[in-house]
Amino acid sequence: MSSLTEKDRPIVQLLLNTGTCPRCILRFCCVGSQALYRCPYKDLMKDLKEFLKNNQEKEDTVCFDVVDPPCKRIRLEHTEEGPDELNHNGALQQIPSVNNENTAMENSAVKVCNVCLGILQEFCEDDFVKKVCQKVNSADYQFTSFVFSVSLPPQLSVRERAAWLLVKQEMGATACPDCFKPAKNKQSVFTRMAVIKALEKIKEEDFLKHFPCPPSSPKNLCVALEIQCNNGAVFVAGRYNKYSRNLPQTPWIIDGERKLESSVEELISEHLMAEFKADSFNFSSSGREDVDVRTLGNGRPFAIELVNPRRIHFTAEDMKGLQQTINNSSDKIQVRDLQLVTREAIGRMKEGEEEKTKTYSALIWTDEAIQREDIAFLDDIKELKLDQKTPLRVLHRRPLAVRCRIIHTMRSEYIDEHHFRLHLKTQAGTYIKEFVHGDFGRTKPNIGSLLNRTADILELDVESVDVDWPPALDN
Ligand code: ZN
């Protein structure tokens, strides 16, 4: 139950006389109940007039007997402003005002509120709420909760101040207008911040010189310029295999020119984008492979953020179907363990990335002939420490540094006099190609120096990325 008491009477009288709407009056009387504000405008106006008519000897409260509903999170802001029609002495000339447009409120001879410009009149009535609902419905989003966010003209802050000074001057009142102020928001434009800053600084007597108090009655109602819907991002994770030596992980573009027509992220994301009806996506993964390197085994963990998706409800069965669609669409990649995850869980993919191990298979060529026994000793080497200077091939995008990496184990597989395959288990972040050919002595030791021959790498495959995320699914 909420009520106005006898002490509110002069404030109600004063504000009503100066053209303030019932809901603004309730705010200035510090009425906190949301339910009351939901009553139709006409009823509120009638109740306030009744309240003023009441004899002082009578019961001194008017009760608006409504049950408080659960609180919803509502944020107020404003995106677009029209030209100002309310300049006074130039001081606040840049303050944008509302659009000129005739409205139902005006036509039905309701006076536009001099504090809220009618925002708490028309926009709190059923018709406008219906309009918002229609817009949300037609945007075709799936959602379970929402934040209703409104952008207000900066001018409101000035009017709010003027109304507050009026109440203060006339009443010497201690009413607190702060308790229901339009929220100042983060996305604010410069002009809004400037207005708020100016209001913080300006002295009361100076303010009164520049702005009418009470605020003048506006000719037009504030107009809702745009109703926008947005959904929070959804995250999908999985593991991918890459079977092509001609496919980059992300679009390969040099000087604005596309080098290869596709990429791992695009082959996966295009299907997700279509199903989730998202605006855009962000791809991330646990490390990456070179364009000519395949990723085999259980694949590489990845996550995709889908921005502003319309569809968000997917069952495990739906995700399985989506995975099948991706896998049927290309023989260059395969995806497994495709699932919805939280934003927080993605951190697990990145954390401890450096400490994880990776296993590789490299096809190696040597200039001088080799026999089986020449390479057998590699199998006995454990925890080999490398010093790797930043490879020449990545020096254009990575700082020059010497990094210590460890080859945990190696296993050689003799092919012929000039070829063998080497299976390696290494610390994540080891440059394998450089470990084989030595990168002009920048990686020490290397396969060439260990064999005392010139060695080069012909093919490289990632056999496994030992990150146990996302959880394996049994499909
Ligand atoms: Zn108002």
Side-chain angles (χ1 to χ4, degrees), residues 78-302:
H78 187 259
T79 44
E80 290 182 57
E81 294 94 20
D84 186 21
E85 55 174 334
L86 293 156
N87 292 336
H88 294 281
N89 303 334
L92 297 162
Q93 267 176 7
Q94 293 309 311
I95 300 167
S97 175
V98 298
N99 267 21
N100 292 335
E101 200 174 286
N102 285 334
T103 65
M105 292 295 295
E106 203 181 14
N107 294 341
S108 60
V110 170
K111 204 173 177 192
V112 177
C113 175
N114 64 340
V115 181
C116 70
L117 300 173
I119 290 165
L120 293 183
Q121 294 173 294
E122 177 151 298
F123 298 159
C124 293
E125 299 294 305
D126 279 357
D127 281 351
F128 185 73
V129 174
K130 277 180 194 151
K131 200 170 154 189
V132 173
C133 292
Q134 273 166 11
K135 175 73 187 185
V136 172
N137 287 335
S138 68
D140 201 23
Y141 280 91
Q142 288 181 336
F143 61 94
T144 49
S145 64
F146 67 93
V147 175
F148 183 58
S149 165
V150 182
S151 287
L152 298 173
Q155 190 195 126
L156 283 196
S157 309
V158 185
R159 291 178 169 274
E160 184 85 7
R161 171 68 64 91
W164 161 231
L165 289 183
L166 175 76
V167 171
K168 200 171 148 188
Q169 281 176 344
E170 300 282 324
M171 303 297 149
T174 52
C176 57
D178 287 354
C179 64
F180 230 116
K181 252 184 175 171
K184 293 159 196 165
N185 60 82
K186 287 171 230 152
Q187 289 172 307
S188 57
V189 291
F190 175 73
T191 52
R192 185 193 319 281
M193 287 312 292
V195 169
I196 290 162
K197 276 233 167 77
L199 285 174
E200 277 168 8
K201 276 188 203 163
I202 196 165
K203 285 185 194 142
E204 288 182 11
E205 56 265 37
D206 292 337
F207 181 89
L208 292 171
K209 276 183 224 156
H210 294 295
F211 202 83
C213 187
S216 59
S217 288
K219 287 193 223 72
N220 301 313
L221 189 71
C222 195
V223 172
L225 293 178
E226 200 184 0
I227 306 171
Q228 274 185 347
C229 306
N230 270 295
N231 228 345
V234 166
F235 298 84
V236 172
R239 292 166 169 266
Y240 72 82
N241 291 123
K242 172 163 107 65
Y243 299 120
S244 168
R245 295 196 189 281
N246 200 27
L247 182 70
Q249 191 201 43
T250 53
W252 193 11
I253 295 158
I254 298 172
D255 295 333
E257 196 190 323
R258 186 141 196 170
K259 294 296 174 190
L260 288 167
E261 66 176 15
S262 195
S263 66
V264 172
E265 68 159 44
E266 286 163 293
L267 289 175
I268 300 172
S269 298
E270 62 182 349
H271 302 284
L272 298 180
M273 289 286 288
E275 283 296 315
F276 285 77
K277 301 186 197 303
D279 284 351
S280 60
F281 69 88
N282 294 304
F283 181 94
S284 60
S285 62
S286 178
R288 58 189 302 156
E289 62 283 307
D290 290 343
V291 58
D292 59 347
V293 173
R294 299 188 301 175
T295 294
L296 309 174
N298 275 337
R300 185 186 296 281
F302 69 90

